[in-house]
Amino acid sequence: MSKEIYLDGNATTCVLPAAIDAAVQAMRDCFGNPSSTHATGLKAKAMMDSVRQRAKRLLGVGSGRIMFNSGATEGIQTAVLSALCALRERRERGDAIGSLLVYGATEHKAVPEALAHWNRLLGLNLELKKLPVGGDGRHDLQALRALAPQAAFVCTMAANNETGVVSDLAGIAAALQESQALWMVDCVQGLGKLALDLGSTRIDYAPFSGHKLYAPKGIGMLYVREGAPYTPLVMGGGQEAGLRSGTENMAGIAALGAVLAALEQGDTFRTPAELHGFREKLAASLRAAFPGIVFNAPFEQALPTTLNFSVPGLSSKELLDVFDAANVRVSAGSACSAAKAAPSYVLDAMGLPHWRSSSAVRMSFGPLASADTIDEACARIERCGHALRAAGLLDTPAGGASAPEGVLQLSLGGNHTWLLLDAPSRQCIVIDPQPELAERIDSLLRSHGYQPPLRLSTRNGAGWPDAGDIRAFGAHTVQRVALEGGQHAYLLCSGAQVDYAFTGLAALAALEGKVPADALVCAGREEVNACCTSLRAEAQAAAANSDMHLDSIALAHLLEAHPQAVLVDVREAYEQAACIPGGRAAQSVPLSRLAAFVPAWLGAADQPPLVFFCRSGNRSAKAAHCLRRLGYRNAYHLSGGIALASPALALAA
Ligand code: PLP
């Protein structure tokens, strides 16, 4: 298995070796409770105090307070609770407090959610007001100036987690100059990447999170300006000078201390110039691999460690899958479910077109990145571009890639479009084309020299060009069959034999008598059937499937007991092509091509065990189910996919 390249630093980072050592040392040698008055406790307290002092020095906060907590979500709650409690007290005293809780439109969800929660619980009922951002992702300062007189509390961020856009904190401070509003700045993505001299600003609260900069998860800190109102979120034993009760996470504090020490000493992390150089290299490789790529935030105003981009014609899921196959970890710039990507609210707020906000990918690295890792990432990016071109998913064809042929399924949101491809004559039929896939299909056919396709509908039979119901298709024929209610099925035949029936949304019962019992039925929706089935298979009781799911141990046993077993990789061709070669030999049958291979498997005399695998186990389960339904008892799949497979199996990834 090739080495993982982790480019998702804005989600979380690995832990700095010195931080691991510091945590281990804190657990082994300095395990005292810092509230204990004996020597063991004093030693722990001294360690904790030294980390606090270091944080204060680094952040330039001489007189303010730094308290340790569990992370930025807690820090944000504490800041919001503190500000809102103070506003309620002021209002009860009869002071004017303003009517608005203003937050940047691109804030992390923790901010508006916390504002809404505590506003409701405290009965403040102030108005939550989204502060717009411009096309460059920066806060609209003119809008802020207009809101400032009515603002009670303002929440902005130092740098955005999706785009890396760096806020104009000086501009925000100037816009708030005349305002009484309290101000929180979420500094999570800024630590170690921006100079944060908090003591010289009027910022009241600044939350931080350890795991975004090489400390472990579960440790964070909150800066509170001297004189800023404060209400503890957690009450109890009075730890952290009564500001945050609960025995401190000493291992986390020690680890965070090691990261802060590395920042202070300045010889561990890459310089800004080096980080800018890394971004240039990655951007150049991305441009070469994905012509037409657009970057979603201007580089000049963004952290050099974050690249957010969209590629015309490619969904974020496809890009994530191909990068994951190449062992490059990136994330969707938007929340992404298996079938449909939800657009990114950050990119929507910047006014970017829908296609960009719904297909964005974020590539982010930390200041510990090495030149070797970036070079290897560039090589793999190019590999991914090549794999997608070979699969016809990018408009520029890859020379030498063989043309797809036979039956191909393209799915979107649970709907299936089927392509019938006759490579010798370069003819194609598209059954139930979905408009969202039009560009994809055109590009696939164009890049492999296919003629413009015939587009047929199963809903109403539209698209059939002749008067008759049978037409030639290369060495095959295609037949149109009318079903009830104006629906149609299309049969792909070899001579007198019906190989496939494409049935759209028709219930399987509606096919009785119209479609031969053994023809492979390819439906138009996932609910009817994920891959393919046959009327005979459906009529027979479903085979017992309880032994179908294999974990990696069960798979190892099966392979040992049955050396003739066939491993089948059902990931898409571009994911397989993006893999670094090596690992156990496997037959390549993307799920979209499964129907094309089923007849040969069903027809094999010996029917060896077929073990399907994919990235996470979803697609392979569909494939194994499909084969079992069709009567292939020896079909299995790897639960959890290669993401969870033991390295001993060495599946290609
Ligand atoms: N704020 C920003 C900008 C973030 O990126 C994150 C994490 O994704 C958070 C807040 C929440 O941080 P934590 O995971 O420490 O609760």
Side-chain angles (χ1 to χ4, degrees), residues 187 223 373 471 532 580 594 618 621 634:
C187 288
Y223 159 70
T373 306
R471 49 182 285 117
C532 59
I580 312 299
L594 194 86
N618 283 331
N634 252 344

Side-chain angles (χ1 to χ4, degrees), residues 420-429 450-453 471-475:
L420 283 51
L421 298 151
D422 185 62
S425 65
R426 289 296 199 264
Q427 279 179 283
C428 172
I429 293 176
Y450 274 89
Q451 299 170 31
R471 49 182 285 117
F473 181 66

Side-chain angles (χ1 to χ4, degrees), residues 71-73 76 108 157 161 186 188-189 209 211-212:
T73 301
I76 290 166
H108 187 277
M157 63 202 323
N161 44 305
D186 174 347
V188 167
Q189 299 291 346
S209 178
H211 74 100
K212 306 288 181 176

